[in-house]
Amino acid sequence: MSMENYEYYNQHEDTRNLHDKCKKYMYYHVTMTMKDGSSFDGIIENVGMDKVSVLVGEDVMDRESEDEGDIRQYYGGYGRPRRRFRRFRRRDFPLASLAALALLPYVTPYPYYPYYPYPYY
């Protein structure tokens, strides 16, 4: 096997592995890293032979309207605090530009007990 065929085979093997991983993590919240170094999080919606359709999350801040009469003082400043929203947009990415794929870890704020840990009296 020549060196060019070996590199061609390895490149397609990596793409095939990422395709299988994308199929496995479909409808999960994942972190994707592209070959150019950029990374983002999103939900894999559809996997094709050469592209991946992802719902990419973006943060949106609520606009303040100046004509509202609510002038209460809040911690850190005056007026109403700006509210933050999370919006998802559908984007297609070529499978060949994907470098890595990982599940987004969620941290629980407290341990979950399936039973009440204290005795009943």
Side-chain angles (χ1 to χ4, degrees):
M1 181 186 285
S2 69
M3 189 60 147
E4 291 132 7
N5 288 339
Y6 182 73
E7 289 175 4
Y8 179 79
Y9 178 75
N10 280 342
Q11 181 182 7
H12 285 291
E13 187 68 26
D14 291 340
T15 306
R16 189 176 315 139
N17 289 340
L18 283 173
H19 182 271
D20 294 339
K21 203 170 188 181
C22 286
K23 283 284 218 186
K24 180 181 174 184
Y25 293 154
M26 193 179 294
Y27 304 117
Y28 283 95
H29 201 169
V30 296
T31 302
M32 302 177 99
T33 305
M34 308 306 275
K35 288 186 178 178
D36 63 354
S38 63
S39 65
F40 58 90
D41 66 308
I43 301 169
I44 298 177
E45 186 179 44
N46 191 12
V47 180
M49 291 304 293
D50 58 344
K51 68 177 181 176
V52 179
S53 179
V54 181
L55 294 172
V56 178
E58 62 182 31
D59 293 328
V60 179
M61 298 297 285
D62 187 26
R63 292 185 179 165
E64 290 186 38
S65 111
E66 298 295 328
D67 52 334
E68 290 183 13
D70 189 15
I71 308 178
R72 290 181 280 176
Q73 182 177 1
Y74 290 94
Y75 178 76
Y78 291 96
R80 291 177 47 179
R82 295 183 67 183
R83 297 185 337 181
R84 186 178 131 208
F85 298 99
R86 186 95 169 145
R87 175 172 46 196
F88 289 90
R89 291 186 188 240
R90 184 174 291 116
R91 294 183 59 190
D92 292 333
F93 295 100
L95 195 58
S97 67
L98 190 62
L101 179 70
L103 282 175
L104 191 67
Y106 286 100
V107 179
T108 58
Y110 51 86
Y112 172 74
Y113 295 107
Y115 58 91
Y116 194 70
Y118 303 108
Y120 297 106
Y121 290 110

